[in-house]
Amino acid sequence: MTNTANREAAIRRSAALKPQGSAGQRPGPSAAPAGAARSLGFEAKELRANRIERDGKSFYQLDGYASVVETPYEMWDMFGGYNEVIDARAFDTTLASSPDVAFLVNHRGVTMARTTNKTLELSVDALGLRSVALLNPERQDVKDLILAIEDRNIDQMSFGFLIEDAEWNDDFSEFRITQVDLHRGDVSAVNYGANPHTSIAARSREILSELDGLPLGAARAAVERLNSRLNDSAVTTTSAPTGRSISLVETMLRLDD
């Protein structure tokens, strides 16, 4: 998308979202324009696996960065394109609360490592959210993942989370995420993470193709929620961020089957 198109989108966004009588005032915390739930993918330049011994047990230690900070990536809303940035301090509060986070492949499948049993460690440095996972080498899915990493068929990482706080810049061209919630989310090794966002909006084609397979109860709930959203669209544009991580929503839908 061209800079001109993004500037025009920012003008439309500002006219629609900026409160009346707020000339000269900086926009405050806002609803996430593409939804509060995010599943972002990034090229995992440091993704590597090593065999280690710990407490008399053998593991594959998988190191990588599930997110970068202070690096803009392009997103879209109803007005057009804009830049989104994860603030360097966005993970501080959630990591301090010892969140329950799983290590997965492509945000699906059986958990391979988890913060609650100390097989997954998350931390933040100048580059971003670092993930260190200890994987059981006897599991076939772990063996397949390690081979895929060694063959460079998988060299990306992604993470699922909920936006807790964020704000637009003065001209509504950049949306800065200042606080996230990782609890019940995940970090994943993924096939494709180079496209820097895999939000609900960006995955619309995939979601539409999966609707026919939804359990009946989940399908009814989806219809009711979409009808409510269409009826209250003016309200959802300006409401505070709410929602669950994509991984948690998918899990809840499966349990309804």
Side-chain angles (χ1 to χ4, degrees):
M1 183 172 291
T2 66
N3 290 333
T4 298
N6 280 356
R7 285 195 296 269
E8 292 174 350
I11 292 172
R12 293 191 295 270
R13 190 177 299 112
S14 177
L17 301 182
K18 198 168 187 178
Q20 295 296 320
S22 61
Q25 297 180 6
R26 181 180 177 82
S30 305
R38 286 282 195 282
S39 181
L40 301 178
F42 298 91
E43 184 176 357
K45 301 179 185 301
E46 301 295 324
L47 184 61
R48 60 189 184 274
N50 298 300
R51 193 71 172 260
I52 68 165
E53 298 287 332
R54 177 176 292 186
D55 299 328
K57 296 181 180 180
S58 179
F59 296 94
Y60 279 111
Q61 180 173 298
L62 189 60
D63 292 79
Y65 282 86
S67 170
V68 295
V69 295
E70 300 298 340
T71 301
Y73 49 87
E74 190 168 29
M75 291 286 285
W76 293 265
D77 62 6
M78 63 184 296
F79 305 105
Y82 65 93
N83 284 331
E84 189 168 271
V85 181
I86 299 177
D87 192 89
R89 297 163 293 181
F91 297 99
D92 292 352
T93 299
T94 189
L95 290 180
S97 68
S98 300
D100 184 356
V101 184
F103 181 91
L104 305 173
V105 176
N106 289 320
H107 303 287
R108 300 175 185 271
V110 178
T111 297
M112 291 185 170
R114 194 171 175 180
T115 53
T116 53
N117 66 3
K118 311 300 183 184
T119 56
L120 176 62
E121 296 180 2
L122 301 174
S123 60
V124 175
D125 59 24
L127 182 57
L129 179 65
R130 187 184 178 204
S131 163
V132 179
L134 300 179
L135 311 183
N136 186 344
E138 296 184 7
R139 287 176 52 165
Q140 185 59 50
D141 53 355
V142 170
K143 295 176 183 178
D144 292 342
L145 173 60
I146 297 304
L147 288 174
I149 292 172
E150 291 177 346
D151 292 341
R152 304 303 295 170
N153 289 321
I154 287 184
D155 59 359
Q156 312 286 307
M157 288 197 72
S158 176
F159 76 119
F161 65 100
L162 175 68
I163 297 174
E164 288 285 297
D165 202 1
E167 63 182 10
W168 289 103
N169 64 352
D170 290 332
D171 65 359
F172 286 83
S173 64
E174 179 182 287
F175 191 71
R176 175 169 288 267
I177 299 173
T178 55
Q179 185 174 327
V180 305
D181 184 3
L182 294 174
H183 185 59
R184 303 297 293 275
D186 71 276
V187 295
S188 288
V190 294
N191 297 335
Y192 298 105
N195 188 0
H197 60 278
T198 319
S199 67
I200 290 294
R203 295 175 59 241
S204 57
R205 181 178 297 178
E206 176 187 345
I207 291 168
L208 288 173
S209 70
E210 293 177 350
L211 284 179
D212 289 339
L214 276 180
L216 184 58
R220 289 197 190 98
V223 170
E224 292 174 359
R225 182 169 298 185
L226 288 173
N227 283 335
S228 176
R229 179 183 176 187
L230 291 172
N231 292 334
D232 301 326
S233 59
V235 175
T236 58
T237 301
T238 57
S239 61
T242 58
R244 298 182 176 91
S245 72
I246 290 171
S247 298
L248 177 58
V249 171
E250 290 176 342
T251 300
M252 294 174 66
L253 291 176
R254 293 192 193 99
L255 290 175
D256 193 44
D257 194 356

